[in-house]
Amino acid sequence: MSTAVSADSSGKPQTINLEDLPLAQLQKIKTQLEEELNSLTGAFSQMKQAQSAFRECKNCIDEMTPESKDKTIMIPLTNSLYVPGKLSDIEKVVVDIGTGYYVEKSAKDAASYYDSKIEYVQDNAKKIQQTVEQKQASYRGLLEIMQYKLTQQQRQQQQAEANKQPGTTAKAR
Amino acid sequence: MEANPRGIPKSPFVDNVEEYLKTDTVEATLRKFTEAASKYKFMENSKLQQRSGLEQKIPEIKKTLAMVEYLTEQRKSNSPTKTLFEVNDTLYAHAVIPPTKAVNLWLGANVMLEYTLEEAQELLSSKLEIAEKNLEEASEDLEFLRDQITTMEVNTARVYNWDVKQRRIAKSATKE
């Protein structure tokens, strides 16, 4: 007995018995589930990307050691313009916290900021993964039922064909 | 056939359908017209892509040129500049730039060259000029292509309508 959980118009979760639905509606639910799965996997990969970007930032902060102070580096001024210069301050960095706000933090504080960001994204990614697994399970159940209904329909059609030609079967005897 | 400065052929406008069809059947003419229309559309697509690529590059070149001009100004004052530079997407760090007479330009394909400030300014200005000229030409070509596509579609419609009329006349003639 396969059921799918969905929310009806009042927002309460309502279990639908998939076996009772006709094939056309099952098709609709199938396409709906496929779309949801696609968008969820897209969101999941975005989370992974964001996580690796934050990890990179954290690595960059770790690179700014006391040895690198006053070392000559290539400083990007635009996408294609670089100038030789020196790192002036290894203790303080500026972090873009979003919505146009930039905050100057000590290297340690910035590292812990990125750590908490990584954790937050990790939690979200886990939640998305759980939802994806749920949807995949209902999708598989749906496919089974559709297969079953299809074979049922085919068998019915074959029987209808056989019943339509009583004359020929009589001749065959 | 005439062509515009970039070698795109101009489409002929079929004024008198009957005259034009003396040399070809209706099907062959219609096929020729639809082929030409799809060629124009393909060219239109590639010009559109070219234009959007240029529209992205031009502001970047302008920014880089402005930076080089700023650095030239700074050099006159002979004092090092304090700045923040981008280490990563959300991370910036402090740096000090001593007055320098050379800059490095990233030319793409893993190539970076060092130029003096004057050379860099020349190179960037000429790049900007070429990009702007290309953008103008691409926009012109796009307008021209739009016209040709419309002309071809009108031609196709006229030939088709004339053909329909002819068939109707032939049918009513055979009925009598």
Side-chain angles (χ1 to χ4, degrees), chain B residues 54 58 61 126-136:
Chain B
L54 283 169
I58 288 185
I61 303 181
S126 68
K127 259 193 176 178
L128 185 63
E129 257 187 66
I130 295 178
E132 285 184 332
K133 192 172 76 122
N134 283 345
L135 183 65
E136 242 188 78

Side-chain angles (χ1 to χ4, degrees), chain B residues 11-30:
Chain B
S11 57
F13 179 63
V14 176
D15 222 351
N16 193 337
V17 184
E18 214 164 312
E19 274 290 326
Y20 198 77
L21 285 177
K22 287 234 173 88
T23 46
D24 250 337
T25 64
V26 173
E27 285 88 3
T29 322
L30 280 175

Side-chain angles (χ1 to χ4, degrees), chain A residues 53-54 56-57 60-61 64 73-89 92-96 102 104 114, chain B residues 60 63-64 67-68 71 82-98 100 102-107 112 124:
Chain A
F54 287 133
E56 249 190 75
C57 287
C60 291
I61 301 183
M64 290 174 52
I73 58 173
M74 277 292 164
I75 302 184
L77 293 180
T78 76
N79 259 350
S80 33
L81 179 66
Y82 291 75
V83 185
K86 297 205 176 114
L87 270 184
S88 67
D89 197 341
K92 294 202 292 259
V93 292
V94 175
V95 182
D96 177 2
Y102 296 79
E104 182 161 41
Y114 282 120
Chain B
E60 274 197 35
K63 260 199 283 182
T64 317
M67 280 311 286
V68 172
L71 282 172
K82 273 206 85 172
T83 180
L84 280 170
F85 72 98
E86 187 170 351
V87 181
N88 209 316
D89 203 16
T90 47
L91 186 63
Y92 299 81
H94 293 284
V96 157
I97 310 177
T100 172
V103 292
N104 301 284
L105 286 176
W106 176 264
L107 302 174
M112 187 194 269
L124 286 170

